Amino acid sequence: MNRIVVVGYGPTAHRLVETLTGKGFGGTVTVIGEEPRPAYDRVHLTSYLSGTSAEDLTYEVPTGIVTRLNTRATGIDREARQVTLADGGAEPYDVLVLATGSAPFVPPVPGAEHAYVYRTIEDLDAIRTAAKDAVEGIVVGGGLLGLEAADALRALGLKAHIVEMSPWLMPRQVDEGGGSVLKSHIEGLGLSVHAGAGVQEIVTDAAGQVTGLLKPDGTLVDAQVVVFSAGIRPRDELARQAGLEVGPRGGIVVDSGMLTSDPFIYAVGECALAGGMVYGLVGPCNTMAEVAADRIMGGLSAFEGADMSTKLKLLGVEVAQFGAMDGALDVTYMDPVAGVYKKLFISDDARTLLGGICVGDASPYTSLRPFVGKSLPASPSDLLFSGAGAQLDLPDEAQVCSCNNVCAGDIRTAIADKGVTDVPGLKACTRAGTTCGSCVPMLKQLLEKSGVEVSKALCEHFTYSRAELFDIARVRGVTTFSELITQHGQGRGCDICKPAVASILASLHNGHVLEGERATLQDTNDKFLANMQKNGTYSVVPRIPGGEITPEKLIVIGEVARDFGLYTKITGGQRIDLFGATVDQLPAIWRRLVDAGFESGHAYGKALRTVKSCVGSTWCRYGVQDSVGMAIALELRYRGLRSPHKLKSAVSGCARECAEARSKDFGIIATEQGWNLYVGGNGGFKPRHADLLANDLSTDDLIRTIDRFLMFYIRTADRLQRTSTWLESLEGGLDYLREVIMEDSLGICADLDAQMDNHIATYADEWAATLDDPEKLSRFVSFVNAPGTPDPSIVFASERGQIKPVMAR
């Protein structure tokens, strides 16, 4: 068995080949995909219409996998064991895996050919194009994907209608009561819901342009765009052509090992009929892929059904369903005013939990879903309303992450045996929480109950976390480290707490980092307001906001580099860095730079480094906003802002993203309506794309939102915690962040605004202040006992016309 061929390249196929490579398969794996790109994240497909690029959604192809994209398989020759292709070629196999997925169901009604479906990136491109000339849009289908599609139409600026044949929305996930509450939420957002309605015809004008949808009762709903999201059908045509067994209503019949009626062909994902059922959720499909990979490698894994529980947030409304949707007894709570509906289904002896439904408040879901089919751990009323569910101890076999089939025992093993002590570590170790994210609160609960003590103390001298120390200093007006450690700590401090407290005090009071006692608290770089290099020299980095610089200033930089013999480099962040300065040279270098109008670029500090920019609408024919002007405004606004870790930003003038804004702590991408704001990105050892926080913001709204984001991060993040890991650690994640800084759920926005206003009003350039203070200048010497003597250990050689350090061997 040396050749595996996979037909179809969706998320399930990706999980299959990823598992095979992880298990060390030594043969060739060839994946044939119809789309022009490898597999991508369909769970977050809607984000593509709000600024996420196709590249951001696309999964990385595992090493060694051969891909044939834009290629359609047309047949299977089971005797010759080869797949025939539309281009006339063929792909031989020893084992074939069908992962052809499903196709959207489009009802056979007149005019359906003028409608769109909601399945692929190309489908969304077509919908976006059609929406440009439209006012109203209709989504046929009120299920999970239908509501996402309706939200997408709304985001594209259309008045959206939802047409659902069932009497209420999401009939597979909620009952009539839950559907009623959900409908109220959605109509409150300005969408129109037509429940219990079918489709008679898609109406078009003489030119073939859609004008509306005709319902069976004769009512015409005006619209220029119609999208079908009324269910899926398994793509089993290749199997049928090859004579494989299929189900009466479609789907390739497989056994518990995902093997079809041919001993050399497997089927996984939405095309497979497993146990008489076609599964359309990511969790079961991932499990199928893992089972098939294990069987191919000689294992004995079996697919024995899957948990179909669902928790999601649609149009801002929390919806959850777990277990059965009926039972001999039920406990129901409904609050139409608050828009909350909760129901538990219980066995006739009132002892066993069978299932539950939540709309508007899904907090019971996380704790109760693992108890489906088990004895009720508390009274139903306590479980729904008193928060007792959060105190429950889950059995090891209870499934925590249905997307990746991770049980509570797997989490406990990672904590106990592998020393994992935080949520990011659990994600990396088990995959739990990495797909839809709904299980993250449970991961936190398991960490808290694991018996592993995760200390929040900053260090041995403070029992408080950095965020707690920040609040203590802010509320009590502490201005010095001595005052803070005397009143709230012990000992004299260390190299952990001293720089952290120095950063806190700088964030709160914006004083000079070398003022008085603060000078003794700083890291090496801050002590000399420069970045130390490998040979003991320092770099000089003047601030160049937005990368925009005059010829006169360029000449000054060139002259300084020439006169002091410095290595000169234009960096990826649109700065000019000068390397090789000795400590005693720094004041003289900065005197010339400050006199020419430069200020510190804070390349040495845990502060804003740079706001990168493309040339924007001023010069670029694709630009839709002035990205340079925005980048300069932001850099000048946040310069010198001390934070738990360095901050990087970028502004792109259009969706082409030349400034790489989505790899930054906060990035801005221009749209025709305003600005999209992304947060929590970074490069480095573990790159992370930023998440879309808000779209189409006005300039004022953008700046206000960034102000609050930065100040909330500075207040609450841990020591040396980048915005990316901070965002992942927030309970509720991005949604919680929006609630705090955009909806003022904690009532602190005015305080955050005032804190930023104070920073802007009190900002002063550190190097300009240093040059005017003889006491601060006295520290810039190589040797305390020989102030005028340069360090003789610093030696340079020449390379490409510039200096380079020579290190002792």
Side-chain angles (χ1 to χ4, degrees), residues 555-731:
I555 290 170
V556 171
I557 289 177
E559 289 175 340
V560 167
R562 178 196 62 202
D563 295 347
F564 289 89
L566 305 177
Y567 171 84
T568 310
K569 176 77 168 64
I570 298 175
T571 72
Q574 295 181 331
R575 301 180 301 189
I576 299 177
D577 289 11
L578 309 176
F579 294 82
T582 57
V583 170
D584 54 292
Q585 290 178 320
L586 289 173
I589 291 170
W590 274 105
R591 170 54 66 191
R592 290 177 60 173
L593 292 173
V594 169
D595 289 346
F598 289 103
E599 61 182 38
S600 170
H602 284 95
Y604 51 84
K606 301 296 185 285
L608 178 75
R609 295 292 177 86
T610 180
V611 182
K612 186 178 177 181
S613 171
C614 65
V615 297
S617 58
T618 305
W619 294 94
C620 179
R621 58 197 174 106
Y622 299 113
V624 295
Q625 301 286 354
D626 179 12
S627 57
V628 177
M630 176 58 73
I632 292 172
L634 294 177
E635 186 155 345
L636 294 180
R637 186 174 183 85
Y638 305 128
R639 57 188 171 178
L641 181 65
R642 295 285 173 157
S643 57
H645 210 297
K646 63 186 175 185
L647 293 167
K648 294 185 178 182
S649 180
V651 184
S652 286
C654 73
R656 284 169 173 79
E657 246 284 73
C658 293
E660 302 172 323
R662 292 203 59 207
S663 63
K664 303 295 188 285
D665 294 279
F666 62 101
I668 300 94
I669 300 177
T671 70
E672 293 183 351
Q673 290 75 38
W675 308 94
N676 286 352
L677 173 59
Y678 295 83
V679 297
N682 61 255
F685 186 70
K686 291 184 177 180
R688 183 186 191 276
H689 276 109
D691 296 321
L692 179 66
L693 180 66
N695 59 290
D696 292 334
L697 294 172
S698 67
T699 296
D700 289 342
D701 288 340
L702 172 71
I703 292 174
R704 181 169 57 252
T705 305
I706 298 174
D707 285 356
R708 294 172 178 177
F709 165 73
L710 291 175
M711 282 304 174
F712 187 55
Y713 161 66
I714 289 170
R715 277 193 181 189
T716 60
D718 203 352
R719 166 183 170 270
L720 301 181
Q721 188 177 36
R722 286 293 294 268
T723 57
S724 56
T725 52
W726 168 74
L727 182 59
E728 291 180 348
S729 70
L730 289 179
E731 186 167 356

Side-chain angles (χ1 to χ4, degrees), residues 207 253 313 376 439:
V253 175
K313 197 167 188 177
L376 280 167
C439 63

Side-chain angles (χ1 to χ4, degrees), residues 127-170:
I127 292 171
R128 188 190 342 239
T129 300
K132 290 181 179 179
D133 300 318
V135 176
E136 296 186 71
I138 295 173
V139 174
V140 179
L144 296 175
L145 196 57
L147 295 187
E148 279 202 24
D151 192 27
L153 292 185
R154 185 178 67 131
L156 289 171
L158 305 186
K159 174 176 171 51
H161 301 261
I162 302 169
V163 175
E164 167 58 43
M165 184 174 294
S166 298
W168 59 85
L169 297 173
M170 294 185 67

